[in-house]
mmCIF file of all heavy atoms in Angstrom:
data_model
loop_
_atom_site.group_PDB
_atom_site.id
_atom_site.type_symbol
_atom_site.label_atom_id
_atom_site.label_comp_id
_atom_site.label_asym_id
_atom_site.label_seq_id
_atom_site.Cartn_x
_atom_site.Cartn_y
_atom_site.Cartn_z
ATOM 1 N N HIS W 322 -18.800 110.406 -58.691
ATOM 2 C CA HIS W 322 -19.290 111.758 -59.072
ATOM 3 C C HIS W 322 -18.233 112.807 -58.750
ATOM 4 O O HIS W 322 -17.974 113.734 -59.560
ATOM 5 C CB HIS W 322 -20.584 112.062 -58.313
ATOM 6 C CG HIS W 322 -21.143 113.433 -58.631
ATOM 7 N ND1 HIS W 322 -21.668 113.759 -59.882
ATOM 8 C CD2 HIS W 322 -21.217 114.571 -57.883
ATOM 9 C CE1 HIS W 322 -22.062 115.047 -59.903
ATOM 10 N NE2 HIS W 322 -21.804 115.560 -58.671
ATOM 11 N N VAL W 326 -16.443 115.439 -61.504
ATOM 12 C CA VAL W 326 -16.451 116.916 -61.416
ATOM 13 C C VAL W 326 -15.041 117.453 -61.554
ATOM 14 O O VAL W 326 -14.774 118.425 -62.286
ATOM 15 C CB VAL W 326 -17.100 117.365 -60.099
ATOM 16 C CG1 VAL W 326 -16.930 118.870 -59.909
ATOM 17 C CG2 VAL W 326 -18.579 117.004 -60.075
ATOM 18 N N PRO W 427 -9.360 82.446 -46.256
ATOM 19 C CA PRO W 427 -8.854 81.823 -45.017
ATOM 20 C C PRO W 427 -9.573 80.518 -44.670
ATOM 21 O O PRO W 427 -8.956 79.571 -44.169
ATOM 22 C CB PRO W 427 -9.098 82.893 -43.946
ATOM 23 C CG PRO W 427 -9.201 84.177 -44.710
ATOM 24 C CD PRO W 427 -9.828 83.836 -46.019
ATOM 25 N N LYS W 435 -6.852 71.131 -42.731
ATOM 26 C CA LYS W 435 -7.629 70.096 -42.040
ATOM 27 C C LYS W 435 -7.728 68.833 -42.884
ATOM 28 O O LYS W 435 -7.653 67.704 -42.372
ATOM 29 C CB LYS W 435 -9.018 70.635 -41.713
ATOM 30 C CG LYS W 435 -9.747 69.863 -40.632
ATOM 31 C CD LYS W 435 -10.998 70.605 -40.227
ATOM 32 C CE LYS W 435 -11.678 69.916 -39.045
ATOM 33 N NZ LYS W 435 -12.882 70.651 -38.603
ATOM 34 N N CYS W 507 0.999 27.571 -29.505
ATOM 35 C CA CYS W 507 1.396 26.439 -30.347
ATOM 36 C C CYS W 507 2.921 26.310 -30.408
ATOM 37 O O CYS W 507 3.461 25.203 -30.347
ATOM 38 C CB CYS W 507 0.818 26.617 -31.749
ATOM 39 S SG CYS W 507 -0.980 26.482 -31.851
ATOM 40 N N LEU W 557 0.254 17.751 -33.891
ATOM 41 C CA LEU W 557 -0.337 16.407 -34.000
ATOM 42 C C LEU W 557 0.729 15.383 -34.387
ATOM 43 O O LEU W 557 0.763 14.275 -33.841
ATOM 44 C CB LEU W 557 -1.466 16.423 -35.041
ATOM 45 C CG LEU W 557 -2.739 17.187 -34.665
ATOM 46 C CD1 LEU W 557 -3.722 17.175 -35.823
ATOM 47 C CD2 LEU W 557 -3.386 16.593 -33.421
ATOM 48 N N ILE W 597 14.878 6.741 -17.619
ATOM 49 C CA ILE W 597 14.005 5.994 -18.520
ATOM 50 C C ILE W 597 12.938 5.239 -17.736
ATOM 51 O O ILE W 597 11.757 5.259 -18.089
ATOM 52 C CB ILE W 597 14.846 5.015 -19.367
ATOM 53 C CG1 ILE W 597 15.858 5.791 -20.210
ATOM 54 C CG2 ILE W 597 13.952 4.162 -20.246
ATOM 55 C CD1 ILE W 597 16.781 4.912 -21.009
ATOM 56 N N SER W 615 14.285 10.840 -26.491
ATOM 57 C CA SER W 615 15.134 10.988 -27.673
ATOM 58 C C SER W 615 15.527 9.617 -28.216
ATOM 59 O O SER W 615 15.498 8.600 -27.513
ATOM 60 C CB SER W 615 16.383 11.794 -27.315
ATOM 61 O OG SER W 615 17.159 11.104 -26.352
ATOM 62 N N ALA W 792 -5.864 -37.320 19.803
ATOM 63 C CA ALA W 792 -4.786 -37.335 20.796
ATOM 64 C C ALA W 792 -5.147 -36.496 22.009
ATOM 65 O O ALA W 792 -4.830 -36.855 23.150
ATOM 66 C CB ALA W 792 -3.497 -36.826 20.159
#
Side-chain angles (χ1 to χ4, degrees):
H322 179 68
V326 172
K435 199 171 186 178
C507 292
L557 290 177
I597 299 176
S615 63

